[in-house]
């Protein structure tokens, strides 16, 4: 119970701490999107689902391993994922978002490989992120090209 609460508090804390200002985010919202991005309204729901899977994955991994090192791996992934929008908005550089998006995906794959021996179910819960992350990175890369 304590682990479940601690993981949740850390996730919410990171989510609240690493966000762009409203003014910075408004700049991001004004950027043009690729024409094929017709499902943008679903992106918040997609991310809520991914974060729920992160939470469940970290909890399963903790219960299977009791490893602070693996929890550090989850924290690293969370920091990379959460810093994507802040980095883009604070630097006004979509190239930075493309780079951090790719780094997050690579970190996620590495984390999945490392936690595999401890909990296959925890790895399964990382799959939604591992599938979505390349889509987000592609969108950012294409936005970079159309918003020069």
């Amino acid at each position: 119970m304590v682990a479940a609460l601690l993981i949740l508090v850390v996730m919410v804390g990171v989510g609240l701490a690493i966000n762009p200002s409203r003014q910075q985010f408004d700049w991001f919202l004004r950027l043009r999107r690729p024409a094929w991005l017709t499902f943008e309204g679903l992106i918040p729901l997609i991310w809520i689902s991914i974060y729920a899977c992160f939470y469940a994955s970290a909890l399963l991994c903790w219960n299977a391993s009791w490893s602070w090192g693996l929890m550090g791996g989850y924290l690293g992934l969370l920091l990379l994922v959460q810093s994507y929008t802040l980095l883009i908005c604070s630097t006004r550089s979509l190239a930075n978002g493309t780079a951090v998006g790719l780094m997050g995906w690579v970190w996620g794959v590495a984390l999945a490989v490392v936690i595999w021996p401890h909990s296959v179910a925890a790895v399964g819960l990382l799959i939604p992120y591992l599938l979505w992350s390349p889509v987000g990175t592609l969108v950012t890369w294409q936005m970079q090209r159309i918003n020069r």
Side-chain angles (χ1 to χ4, degrees):
M1 181 65 162
V2 173
L5 187 57
L6 182 60
I7 291 168
L8 183 60
V9 167
V10 168
M11 288 185 70
V12 169
V14 168
L16 292 173
I18 302 179
N19 275 308
S21 70
R22 186 70 216 168
Q23 182 183 10
Q24 291 171 326
F25 194 64
D26 285 345
W27 167 83
F28 179 73
L29 292 175
R30 288 190 301 269
L31 296 174
R32 289 177 296 170
R33 292 349 189 223
W36 59 266
L37 187 62
T38 58
F39 53 89
E40 188 171 11
L42 296 176
I43 292 175
L45 295 174
I46 292 167
W47 275 109
I48 289 168
S49 300
I50 288 171
Y51 280 122
C53 288
F54 273 7
Y55 172 77
S57 178
L59 188 55
L60 285 173
C61 184
W62 173 258
N63 288 335
S65 70
W66 289 49
S67 169
W68 287 105
L70 293 178
M71 293 302 102
Y74 278 95
L75 179 60
L77 181 59
L78 180 62
L79 290 169
L80 280 169
V81 169
Q82 194 63 30
S83 67
Y84 163 88
T85 306
L86 176 63
L87 187 61
I88 288 173
C89 293
S90 63
T91 64
R92 293 193 175 201
S93 171
L94 290 163
N96 289 340
T98 301
V100 81
L102 179 60
M103 288 188 320
W105 183 80
V106 169
W107 188 285
V109 168
L111 182 61
V113 168
V114 172
I115 65 173
W116 182 276
H118 302 282
S119 175
V120 175
V123 172
L125 287 164
L126 289 178
I127 290 175
Y129 168 73
L130 295 175
L131 293 174
W132 177 253
S133 179
V135 175
T137 302
L138 175 65
V139 169
T140 307
W141 178 74
Q142 288 196 343
M143 285 175 65
Q144 182 181 339
R145 293 177 52 215
I146 62 177
N147 286 284
R148 293 190 189 267

